[in-house]
Amino acid sequence: MELQNLGAVVGRLEAELREIRTEADQQQQERAHLLARKCQLQKDVASYHALLDREESG
């Protein structure tokens, strides 16, 4: 009976671990997406500043 209870506990822990890994993978993908978006926005801002500098000097 005790082994059966331990088996159930192990099963629940394994399921929880799979869920945590899935969540961690999703968070990693979201962070990668946000980082790519941040880099694009930084490039856009740099381009905007370059245009402003040209306009002010020209």
Side-chain angles (χ1 to χ4, degrees):
M1 192 66 156
E2 194 173 309
L3 282 178
Q4 191 175 14
N5 290 341
L6 288 176
V9 169
V10 168
R12 285 193 302 270
L13 289 173
E14 287 174 338
E16 187 177 342
L17 180 59
R18 282 191 299 273
E19 185 178 322
I20 289 169
R21 284 182 175 157
T22 299
E23 289 175 10
D25 288 343
Q26 290 171 346
Q27 288 178 357
Q28 183 178 5
Q29 290 174 1
E30 186 176 344
R31 279 193 302 271
H33 173 74
L34 290 172
L35 181 59
R37 184 72 179 127
K38 176 187 172 191
C39 290
Q40 184 59 50
L41 288 171
Q42 287 174 327
K43 288 178 186 177
D44 292 347
V45 168
S47 295
Y48 179 73
H49 282 292
L51 288 171
L52 287 177
D53 289 345
R54 271 192 246 146
E55 189 174 295
E56 288 175 358
S57 64

Coordinates of all heavy atoms in Angstrom, one line a residue:
M1 N 0.8 -1.2 0.0 CA 0.0 0.0 0.0 C 0.9 1.3 0.0 O 0.6 2.2 -0.7 CB -0.9 0.0 1.2 CG -2.0 1.0 1.2 SD -3.1 0.6 -0.2 CE -4.6 1.4 0.4
E2 N 1.9 1.2 0.8 CA 2.8 2.4 0.9 C 3.5 2.6 -0.5 O 3.7 3.8 -0.9 CB 3.8 2.2 2.0 CG 4.5 3.5 2.3 CD 5.4 3.4 3.5 OE1 5.0 2.9 4.6 OE2 6.6 3.8 3.4
L3 N 3.9 1.6 -1.2 CA 4.6 1.7 -2.5 C 3.6 2.3 -3.5 O 4.0 3.1 -4.3 CB 5.1 0.4 -3.0 CG 6.4 -0.1 -2.4 CD1 6.7 -1.5 -2.9 CD2 7.5 0.9 -2.6
Q4 N 2.3 2.0 -3.4 CA 1.3 2.5 -4.3 C 1.2 4.0 -4.0 O 1.1 4.8 -5.0 CB 0.0 1.8 -4.0 CG -1.1 2.1 -5.1 CD -2.3 1.3 -4.9 OE1 -2.5 0.7 -3.8 NE2 -3.2 1.3 -5.9
N5 N 1.2 4.4 -2.8 CA 1.1 5.9 -2.5 C 2.3 6.6 -3.0 O 2.2 7.7 -3.5 CB 1.0 6.1 -0.9 CG -0.4 5.6 -0.4 OD1 -1.3 5.5 -1.1 ND2 -0.4 5.4 0.9
L6 N 3.5 6.0 -2.8 CA 4.7 6.6 -3.3 C 4.7 6.7 -4.9 O 5.1 7.7 -5.4 CB 5.9 5.8 -2.9 CG 6.3 6.0 -1.4 CD1 7.5 5.0 -1.1 CD2 6.6 7.4 -1.0
G7 N 4.1 5.7 -5.5 CA 4.0 5.7 -7.0 C 3.1 6.9 -7.4 O 3.4 7.5 -8.4
A8 N 2.0 7.1 -6.7 CA 1.1 8.2 -7.0 C 1.8 9.5 -6.8 O 1.6 10.5 -7.6 CB -0.1 8.1 -6.1
V9 N 2.6 9.7 -5.7 CA 3.3 10.9 -5.5 C 4.3 11.1 -6.6 O 4.4 12.3 -7.1 CB 4.0 10.8 -4.1 CG1 5.0 12.0 -3.9 CG2 3.0 10.9 -3.0
V10 N 5.0 10.1 -7.0 CA 6.0 10.2 -8.1 C 5.3 10.7 -9.4 O 5.8 11.5 -10.1 CB 6.8 8.9 -8.3 CG1 7.6 9.0 -9.5 CG2 7.7 8.7 -7.1
G11 N 4.2 10.1 -9.6 CA 3.4 10.4 -10.8 C 3.0 11.9 -10.8 O 3.1 12.6 -11.8
R12 N 2.5 12.4 -9.7 CA 2.1 13.8 -9.6 C 3.3 14.7 -9.8 O 3.3 15.7 -10.4 CB 1.4 14.1 -8.3 CG 0.0 13.5 -8.2 CD -0.8 14.1 -7.0 NE -0.1 13.8 -5.7 CZ -0.3 12.7 -5.0 NH1 -1.2 11.8 -5.4 NH2 0.3 12.5 -3.8
L13 N 4.5 14.3 -9.2 CA 5.7 15.1 -9.3 C 6.2 15.2 -10.7 O 6.6 16.2 -11.2 CB 6.8 14.6 -8.3 CG 6.5 14.9 -6.8 CD1 7.6 14.2 -6.0 CD2 6.4 16.3 -6.5
E14 N 6.1 14.0 -11.4 CA 6.6 14.0 -12.8 C 5.7 14.9 -13.7 O 6.1 15.6 -14.5 CB 6.6 12.6 -13.3 CG 7.7 11.8 -12.8 CD 7.6 10.3 -13.2 OE1 6.5 9.8 -13.5 OE2 8.7 9.6 -13.1
A15 N 4.4 14.8 -13.4 CA 3.4 15.7 -14.1 C 3.7 17.2 -13.9 O 3.7 18.0 -14.8 CB 2.0 15.3 -13.8
E16 N 4.0 17.5 -12.6 CA 4.3 18.9 -12.3 C 5.6 19.3 -12.9 O 5.7 20.5 -13.4 CB 4.4 19.0 -10.7 CG 4.6 20.4 -10.3 CD 4.6 20.5 -8.7 OE1 4.2 19.6 -8.0 OE2 5.1 21.6 -8.2
L17 N 6.6 18.4 -13.0 CA 7.8 18.8 -13.6 C 7.6 19.0 -15.1 O 8.2 20.0 -15.7 CB 8.8 17.6 -13.4 CG 10.2 17.8 -14.0 CD1 10.9 19.1 -13.5 CD2 11.1 16.6 -13.7
R18 N 6.8 18.2 -15.8 CA 6.5 18.4 -17.2 C 5.9 19.8 -17.4 O 6.2 20.5 -18.3 CB 5.6 17.3 -17.7 CG 6.3 16.0 -18.0 CD 5.5 15.1 -18.8 NE 4.2 14.7 -18.1 CZ 4.2 13.7 -17.2 NH1 5.2 12.9 -17.0 NH2 3.0 13.4 -16.6
E19 N 4.9 20.1 -16.5 CA 4.2 21.4 -16.6 C 5.2 22.6 -16.4 O 5.2 23.6 -17.2 CB 3.1 21.5 -15.6 CG 2.3 22.7 -15.7 CD 1.2 22.7 -14.6 OE1 0.6 21.7 -14.3 OE2 0.9 23.8 -14.1
I20 N 6.1 22.5 -15.5 CA 7.1 23.5 -15.2 C 8.0 23.7 -16.4 O 8.4 24.8 -16.8 CB 7.9 23.2 -13.9 CG1 6.9 23.4 -12.7 CG2 9.1 24.1 -13.8 CD1 7.5 22.9 -11.4
R21 N 8.4 22.5 -17.0 CA 9.3 22.6 -18.1 C 8.6 23.3 -19.3 O 9.2 24.1 -20.0 CB 9.8 21.2 -18.5 CG 10.9 20.7 -17.6 CD 11.4 19.3 -18.0 NE 12.5 18.9 -17.2 CZ 12.8 17.6 -17.0 NH1 12.1 16.7 -17.6 NH2 13.9 17.3 -16.3
T22 N 7.4 23.0 -19.5 CA 6.6 23.6 -20.6 C 6.5 25.1 -20.4 O 6.7 25.9 -21.3 CB 5.2 23.0 -20.7 OG1 5.3 21.6 -20.9 CG2 4.4 23.6 -21.7
E23 N 6.2 25.5 -19.1 CA 6.1 26.9 -18.8 C 7.5 27.6 -19.0 O 7.5 28.7 -19.6 CB 5.6 27.1 -17.4 CG 4.2 26.8 -17.2 CD 3.8 26.9 -15.7 OE1 4.6 27.4 -14.9 OE2 2.7 26.4 -15.4
A24 N 8.5 26.9 -18.6 CA 9.9 27.5 -18.8 C 10.2 27.7 -20.3 O 10.8 28.7 -20.7 CB 10.9 26.7 -18.1
D25 N 9.9 26.7 -21.1 CA 10.1 26.8 -22.5 C 9.3 28.0 -23.1 O 9.8 28.7 -23.9 CB 9.7 25.5 -23.2 CG 10.7 24.4 -23.0 OD1 11.8 24.7 -22.5 OD2 10.3 23.2 -23.2
Q26 N 8.0 28.1 -22.7 CA 7.2 29.2 -23.2 C 7.8 30.6 -22.8 O 7.8 31.5 -23.6 CB 5.8 29.1 -22.7 CG 5.0 27.9 -23.3 CD 3.7 27.7 -22.6 OE1 3.4 28.2 -21.5 NE2 2.8 26.9 -23.2
Q27 N 8.3 30.7 -21.5 CA 8.9 31.9 -21.1 C 10.2 32.2 -21.9 O 10.4 33.4 -22.2 CB 9.2 31.9 -19.6 CG 7.9 31.9 -18.7 CD 8.2 31.8 -17.3 OE1 9.4 31.6 -16.8 NE2 7.2 31.9 -16.4
Q28 N 10.9 31.2 -22.1 CA 12.2 31.4 -22.9 C 11.8 31.9 -24.3 O 12.5 32.8 -24.8 CB 13.0 30.1 -23.0 CG 14.3 30.3 -23.7 CD 15.1 29.0 -23.7 OE1 14.6 27.9 -23.3 NE2 16.3 29.0 -24.2
Q29 N 10.8 31.3 -24.9 CA 10.4 31.8 -26.3 C 9.9 33.2 -26.2 O 10.2 34.0 -27.1 CB 9.3 30.9 -26.8 CG 9.8 29.5 -27.2 CD 8.7 28.6 -27.6 OE1 7.5 28.9 -27.6 NE2 9.0 27.3 -27.9
E30 N 9.2 33.6 -25.2 CA 8.7 34.9 -25.1 C 9.8 35.9 -24.9 O 9.9 37.0 -25.4 CB 7.7 35.0 -23.9 CG 7.0 36.4 -23.8 CD 6.0 36.5 -22.7 OE1 5.6 35.4 -22.2 OE2 5.6 37.6 -22.3
R31 N 10.8 35.5 -24.0 CA 12.0 36.4 -23.8 C 12.7 36.6 -25.1 O 13.2 37.7 -25.4 CB 12.9 35.8 -22.7 CG 12.4 36.1 -21.3 CD 13.5 35.8 -20.3 NE 14.0 34.4 -20.4 CZ 13.4 33.4 -19.7 NH1 12.4 33.6 -18.9 NH2 13.9 32.2 -19.8
A32 N 12.9 35.6 -25.9 CA 13.6 35.7 -27.2 C 12.8 36.6 -28.1 O 13.5 37.5 -28.8 CB 13.8 34.3 -27.8
H33 N 11.5 36.5 -28.1 CA 10.7 37.4 -29.0 C 10.8 38.8 -28.5 O 11.0 39.7 -29.3 CB 9.2 36.9 -28.9 CG 8.3 37.9 -29.6 ND1 8.2 38.0 -31.0 CD2 7.4 38.8 -29.1 CE1 7.3 38.9 -31.3 NE2 6.8 39.4 -30.2
L34 N 10.8 39.1 -27.2 CA 10.9 40.4 -26.7 C 12.3 41.0 -26.9 O 12.4 42.2 -27.3 CB 10.6 40.4 -25.2 CG 9.2 40.2 -24.8 CD1 9.0 40.0 -23.3 CD2 8.3 41.3 -25.3
L35 N 13.3 40.2 -26.8 CA 14.7 40.7 -27.1 C 14.8 41.1 -28.6 O 15.4 42.1 -28.9 CB 15.7 39.6 -26.8 CG 17.2 40.0 -27.0 CD1 17.5 41.2 -26.2 CD2 18.1 38.8 -26.7
A36 N 14.2 40.2 -29.5 CA 14.3 40.6 -30.9 C 13.5 41.9 -31.2 O 14.0 42.7 -31.9 CB 13.7 39.5 -31.7
R37 N 12.4 42.0 -30.5 CA 11.6 43.3 -30.7 C 12.4 44.5 -30.1 O 12.4 45.5 -30.7 CB 10.3 43.1 -29.9 CG 9.3 44.3 -30.1 CD 8.8 44.3 -31.5 NE 7.9 45.5 -31.6 CZ 7.9 46.4 -32.5 NH1 8.8 46.3 -33.5 NH2 7.1 47.4 -32.5
K38 N 13.0 44.3 -29.0 CA 13.8 45.4 -28.4 C 14.9 45.8 -29.4 O 15.2 47.0 -29.6 CB 14.4 44.9 -27.1 CG 15.3 45.9 -26.4 CD 16.0 45.4 -25.2 CE 17.1 46.4 -24.7 NZ 18.0 45.8 -23.7
C39 N 15.6 44.8 -29.9 CA 16.7 45.1 -30.9 C 16.2 45.9 -32.1 O 16.8 46.9 -32.5 CB 17.4 43.9 -31.3 SG 18.4 43.1 -30.0
Q40 N 15.0 45.5 -32.6 CA 14.4 46.2 -33.7 C 14.1 47.6 -33.4 O 14.3 48.5 -34.1 CB 13.2 45.4 -34.3 CG 12.6 46.1 -35.5 CD 13.6 46.1 -36.7 OE1 14.2 45.1 -37.0 NE2 13.8 47.3 -37.3
L41 N 13.5 47.8 -32.2 CA 13.1 49.1 -31.7 C 14.4 50.0 -31.6 O 14.3 51.2 -31.9 CB 12.3 49.1 -30.4 CG 10.9 48.6 -30.6 CD1 10.3 48.3 -29.2 CD2 10.0 49.5 -31.4
Q42 N 15.4 49.4 -31.0 CA 16.7 50.2 -30.9 C 17.2 50.7 -32.3 O 17.7 51.8 -32.4 CB 17.7 49.4 -30.1 CG 17.4 49.2 -28.7 CD 18.4 48.3 -28.0 OE1 18.9 47.3 -28.5 NE2 18.6 48.6 -26.7
K43 N 17.1 49.8 -33.3 CA 17.6 50.1 -34.6 C 16.7 51.2 -35.2 O 17.2 52.2 -35.8 CB 17.5 48.9 -35.5 CG 18.6 47.9 -35.3 CD 18.4 46.7 -36.2 CE 19.4 45.6 -35.9 NZ 19.2 44.4 -36.7
D44 N 15.4 51.1 -34.9 CA 14.4 52.2 -35.4 C 14.7 53.5 -34.8 O 14.7 54.5 -35.5 CB 13.0 51.8 -35.1 CG 12.5 50.6 -35.9 OD1 13.2 50.2 -36.9 OD2 11.5 50.0 -35.6
V45 N 15.0 53.5 -33.5 CA 15.3 54.8 -32.8 C 16.6 55.3 -33.3 O 16.8 56.6 -33.6 CB 15.4 54.5 -31.3 CG1 16.0 55.7 -30.6 CG2 14.0 54.2 -30.7
A46 N 17.6 54.5 -33.6 CA 18.9 55.0 -34.1 C 18.7 55.6 -35.5 O 19.3 56.6 -35.8 CB 19.9 53.8 -34.2
S47 N 17.9 55.0 -36.3 CA 17.6 55.5 -37.7 C 16.9 56.8 -37.5 O 17.2 57.8 -38.3 CB 16.7 54.5 -38.5 OG 17.4 53.3 -38.7
Y48 N 15.9 56.9 -36.6 CA 15.2 58.2 -36.4 C 16.1 59.3 -36.0 O 16.1 60.4 -36.5 CB 14.1 58.0 -35.4 CG 13.3 59.2 -35.0 CD1 12.4 59.7 -35.9 CD2 13.5 59.8 -33.8 CE1 11.6 60.8 -35.6 CE2 12.8 60.9 -33.5 CZ 11.8 61.4 -34.4 OH 11.1 62.5 -34.1
H49 N 17.1 59.0 -35.1 CA 18.0 60.0 -34.6 C 18.9 60.4 -35.8 O 19.3 61.6 -35.9 CB 18.9 59.4 -33.5 CG 18.2 59.5 -32.1 ND1 17.8 60.6 -31.5 CD2 17.7 58.5 -31.4 CE1 17.2 60.4 -30.4 NE2 17.1 59.0 -30.3
A50 N 19.3 59.5 -36.6 CA 20.2 59.8 -37.8 C 19.4 60.7 -38.7 O 20.0 61.7 -39.2 CB 20.6 58.5 -38.5
L51 N 18.2 60.5 -38.9 CA 17.4 61.4 -39.8 C 17.3 62.8 -39.2 O 17.4 63.8 -39.9 CB 16.0 60.8 -40.0 CG 15.9 59.6 -40.9 CD1 14.5 59.0 -40.9 CD2 16.3 59.9 -42.3
L52 N 17.0 62.8 -37.9 CA 17.0 64.1 -37.2 C 18.3 64.9 -37.3 O 18.3 66.1 -37.5 CB 16.6 63.9 -35.7 CG 15.1 63.6 -35.4 CD1 14.9 63.4 -33.9 CD2 14.2 64.6 -36.0
D53 N 19.4 64.2 -37.1 CA 20.7 64.8 -37.2 C 20.9 65.4 -38.6 O 21.5 66.5 -38.8 CB 21.8 63.8 -36.8 CG 21.8 63.5 -35.4 OD1 21.2 64.2 -34.6 OD2 22.5 62.5 -35.0
R54 N 20.5 64.6 -39.6 CA 20.7 65.1 -41.0 C 19.9 66.3 -41.3 O 20.3 67.3 -41.9 CB 20.3 64.0 -42.0 CG 21.5 63.1 -42.4 CD 21.2 62.2 -43.5 NE 21.1 60.8 -43.0 CZ 20.4 59.9 -43.5 NH1 19.5 60.1 -44.4 NH2 20.4 58.7 -43.0
E55 N 18.7 66.3 -40.8 CA 17.7 67.4 -41.0 C 18.3 68.7 -40.3 O 18.2 69.8 -40.8 CB 16.4 67.0 -40.4 CG 15.3 68.0 -40.8 CD 13.9 67.6 -40.3 OE1 13.4 66.5 -40.9 OE2 13.4 68.2 -39.4
E56 N 18.8 68.5 -39.1 CA 19.3 69.7 -38.3 C 20.6 70.2 -39.0 O 20.8 71.4 -39.0 CB 19.6 69.2 -36.9 CG 18.4 69.0 -36.0 CD 18.7 68.5 -34.7 OE1 19.9 68.3 -34.3 OE2 17.7 68.3 -33.9
S57 N 21.4 69.4 -39.5 CA 22.7 69.8 -40.1 C 22.5 70.3 -41.6 O 23.4 70.9 -42.1 CB 23.8 68.8 -40.1 OG 23.4 67.6 -40.8
G58 N 21.4 69.9 -42.2 CA 21.2 70.2 -43.6 C 20.3 71.3 -43.8 O 20.2 72.3 -44.2

